[in-house]
């Protein structure tokens, strides 16, 4: 069981805005920046958001991240069919002295 | 361009050891940490440990402390992961990743992954 809690699934229709939450604690999200990864079946995770709300070059601005207290969120606006994937949050945990991943959220585009 | 190229799939019997490689290119090898992350079939991501190519220091996740060894060869810009006493639960895809600092959840490049299957 992951210490970072994500909903196992999320869904939306094309064009909609969806958000995926990531809940942690003071020792992880509360003290460190949050990163998000997108993973398609059979491929390696791809960096999507780093330092809470920064996008690597090449990531569309439809993807945005935010953090408040011990929780973080990934928002996807103008949902497209190609956004159907698994999404993971990740951060450093001061108590564990290592990085933590959320359990992942499977996004379905209806 | 930055690349992390991993070795091919492995099939091992329970109790055996496996050694995976991750060859880095396109950047200064000693300037970035390499961290290993694994993913069991249908499951999430799990951090295993980190190696600093500059000096070779390591830090392993507690649950793998007694079974994992990470090493590097600076002459070939290659990092190795060895996992011993394999059990069926170690069946997973193993990824090497790159990070610019040690204490982070940000991994900016990933290898393509190596599938390790543990089966009798």
């Amino acid at each position: 069981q992951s210490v970072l809690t994500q909903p196992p699934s999320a869904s939306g229709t094309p064009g909609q805005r969806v958000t995926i939450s990531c809940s942690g604690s003071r020792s992880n999200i509360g003290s460190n920046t949050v990163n998000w990864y997108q993973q398609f079946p059979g491929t390696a995770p791809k960096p999507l958001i780093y330092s809470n709300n920064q996008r690597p070059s090449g990531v569309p601005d439809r993807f945005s991240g935010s953090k408040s207290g011990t929780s973080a969120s990934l928002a996807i606006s103008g949902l497209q069919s190609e956004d159907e994937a698994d999404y993971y949050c990740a951060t450093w945990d001061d108590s564990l002295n290592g990085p933590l991943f959320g359990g992942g959220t499977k996004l379905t585009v209806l | 361009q930055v690349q992390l190229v991993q070795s091919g799939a492995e099939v091992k019997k329970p109790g055996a050891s496996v050694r995976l490689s991750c060859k880095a290119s396109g950047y200064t090898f000693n300037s970035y940490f390499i961290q290993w992350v694994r993913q069991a079939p249908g499951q999430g991501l799990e951090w295993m440990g980190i190696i600093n190519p500059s000096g070779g220091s390591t830090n392993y996740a507690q649950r793998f402390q007694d079974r994992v060894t990470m090493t590097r060869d600076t002459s070939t810009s290659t990092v190795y992961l060895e996992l011993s006493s394999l059990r069926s639960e170690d069946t997973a895809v193993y990824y090497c990743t790159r990070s610019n600092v040690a204490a982070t959840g940000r991994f900016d490049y990933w290898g393509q992954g190596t599938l390790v299957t543990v089966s009798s």
Side-chain angles (χ1 to χ4, degrees), chain B residues 76-90:
Chain B
T76 60
S77 299
T78 302
V79 170
Y80 299 92
L81 168 72
E82 183 166 6
L83 188 62
S84 62
S85 303
L86 290 168
R87 33 212 190 228
S88 58
E89 309 89 87
D90 294 317

Side-chain angles (χ1 to χ4, degrees), chain A residues 2 32-33 35 37 39 42-47 50-51 56 86 88 90-92 96-104, chain B residues 35-39 42-47 50 59-60 62 95 97 102-113:
Chain A
S2 301
N32 299 284
T33 59
N35 310 274
Y37 300 89
Q39 186 180 33
T43 68
K46 167 193 165 186
Y50 68 94
S51 297
D86 293 326
Y88 294 91
T91 187
W92 179 262
L96 195 67
N97 195 34
L100 276 177
F101 291 93
Chain B
Q35 312 210 34
W36 289 87
V37 174
R38 77 177 188 178
Q39 185 173 36
Q43 302 301 309
L45 302 165
E46 179 178 32
W47 178 73
I50 181 175
N59 180 34
Y60 304 136
Q62 191 167 10
Y95 294 103
T97 72
T104 183
R106 181 187 180 193
F107 311 105
D108 61 355
Y109 285 90
W110 294 62
Q112 82 276 20

